[in-house]
Amino acid sequence: MSKQPGPALYVYIWADGVYLQARMEDHSECMLVLIGTTPEGKKELIGFQVGVRESAQSWRELLIDLRQRGLRIAPQLAIGDGALGFWKALDEAFPGTRHQRCWCHKVSNVLDKVAKSVQGPMKNDLRNIYLAPHRAEAETAIDVFVEKYHVKYGRAVECLIKDRHALLAFFDFPAEHWIHLRSSNPIESVFATVRHRTVRTKGSLSQQTAKLMVFKLIDAASKTWRRLKSTNQLPKVIAGVKFIDGIEVIPNTESHAA
């Protein structure tokens, strides 16, 4: 079961595998979801099927299906949790697509590795990284985080720095889009409503009926999704215009005399 894509181009895509409480045959399975942004800034549901969240094969099948339905041009950036099997499959299907790790998932994963008494200050230090106005400041904030916590909380530090490069990819895209690119919240926010509906029907649905209901709920919710801010920047991203710290780099147009 999948959503038919409209244009053959999506600038950004968000990926996540979300577990629901509607009855499923295999608890290791979840809903694999892909949302894409059109060149006009509209978010669309472009991929949806049941699979295993950590399985590259499950995501490979979904991405191959997208290609067969006309998605031939690689998205500029993909956003998702680092634990997904999605990334390996993405590199095979669309090797030119950049990776952006979801900061919401990363913060949660880092904080899970420390005592609750440490989580407050550590969360503020993580905010200093992803809300930094420039990449250099974010890099410095990561270095400060490592220096501050590596002795006592090595597992938390390792969880952060292993995805260091992919956590900061958004700096190479328009600053107006950063709020959309730092996390896979477009998917999580939709599933909050879906979960509410499926909890009320827990245990009363067949697997196929549960899948169909979830698909219909997401499809209906997609009609109210917010467009990306500053859609006038999207054609520049598509054209390969370079951005540094969210600002367009203007080429040197100075003419050279022969």
Side-chain angles (χ1 to χ4, degrees), residues 4 18 30 93 127 166 168 200 251:
Q4 295 292 331
V18 186
C30 66
R127 283 172 56 86
L168 303 181
R200 292 165 56 187

Short mmCIF file of all heavy atoms in Angstrom, two decimals, residues 4 18 30 93 127 166 168 200 251:
data_model
loop_
_atom_site.label_atom_id
_atom_site.label_comp_id
_atom_site.label_asym_id
_atom_site.label_seq_id
_atom_site.Cartn_x
_atom_site.Cartn_y
_atom_site.Cartn_z
N GLN A 4 0.66 7.32 -4.44
CA GLN A 4 1.22 7.58 -5.75
C GLN A 4 1.81 8.99 -5.76
O GLN A 4 1.10 9.96 -5.49
CB GLN A 4 0.14 7.48 -6.83
CG GLN A 4 -0.42 6.10 -6.99
CD GLN A 4 0.59 5.12 -7.56
OE1 GLN A 4 1.48 5.50 -8.29
NE2 GLN A 4 0.46 3.86 -7.19
N VAL A 18 7.17 3.88 12.41
CA VAL A 18 6.40 4.21 13.60
C VAL A 18 5.55 3.03 14.03
O VAL A 18 4.78 2.47 13.24
CB VAL A 18 5.49 5.43 13.33
CG1 VAL A 18 4.79 5.86 14.61
CG2 VAL A 18 6.32 6.59 12.77
N CYS A 30 6.40 -2.41 11.80
CA CYS A 30 5.83 -1.09 12.05
C CYS A 30 5.49 -0.46 10.71
O CYS A 30 5.72 -1.04 9.65
CB CYS A 30 6.80 -0.23 12.84
SG CYS A 30 8.30 0.20 11.95
N ALA A 93 19.70 3.48 -3.56
CA ALA A 93 18.67 3.97 -4.47
C ALA A 93 18.96 5.38 -4.98
O ALA A 93 18.77 5.68 -6.16
CB ALA A 93 17.30 3.93 -3.78
N ARG A 127 20.75 21.70 22.93
CA ARG A 127 20.03 22.79 22.25
C ARG A 127 21.01 23.83 21.72
O ARG A 127 20.79 24.42 20.65
CB ARG A 127 19.03 23.46 23.20
CG ARG A 127 17.75 22.68 23.42
CD ARG A 127 16.92 23.32 24.52
NE ARG A 127 16.62 24.70 24.26
CZ ARG A 127 15.59 25.14 23.53
NH1 ARG A 127 14.75 24.26 22.99
NH2 ARG A 127 15.38 26.42 23.34
N ALA A 166 26.37 14.19 9.98
CA ALA A 166 24.99 14.14 9.51
C ALA A 166 24.05 14.98 10.36
O ALA A 166 22.97 15.36 9.90
CB ALA A 166 24.50 12.69 9.48
N LEU A 168 24.64 17.97 11.27
CA LEU A 168 24.84 19.38 10.92
C LEU A 168 24.64 19.66 9.43
O LEU A 168 24.94 20.76 8.95
CB LEU A 168 26.25 19.84 11.34
CG LEU A 168 26.60 19.65 12.82
CD1 LEU A 168 28.01 20.18 13.09
CD2 LEU A 168 25.60 20.35 13.73
N ARG A 200 -8.08 3.43 20.45
CA ARG A 200 -9.50 3.20 20.72
C ARG A 200 -10.01 1.92 20.08
O ARG A 200 -11.05 1.38 20.48
CB ARG A 200 -10.31 4.40 20.22
CG ARG A 200 -10.05 5.67 21.03
CD ARG A 200 -10.56 6.89 20.30
NE ARG A 200 -11.98 6.79 19.97
CZ ARG A 200 -12.61 7.69 19.20
NH1 ARG A 200 -11.94 8.69 18.69
NH2 ARG A 200 -13.90 7.53 18.96
N PRO A 251 27.71 33.96 -6.53
CA PRO A 251 28.94 33.77 -7.32
C PRO A 251 29.59 35.10 -7.67
O PRO A 251 28.90 36.13 -7.78
CB PRO A 251 28.44 33.05 -8.58
CG PRO A 251 27.12 32.49 -8.23
CD PRO A 251 26.53 33.41 -7.21
#
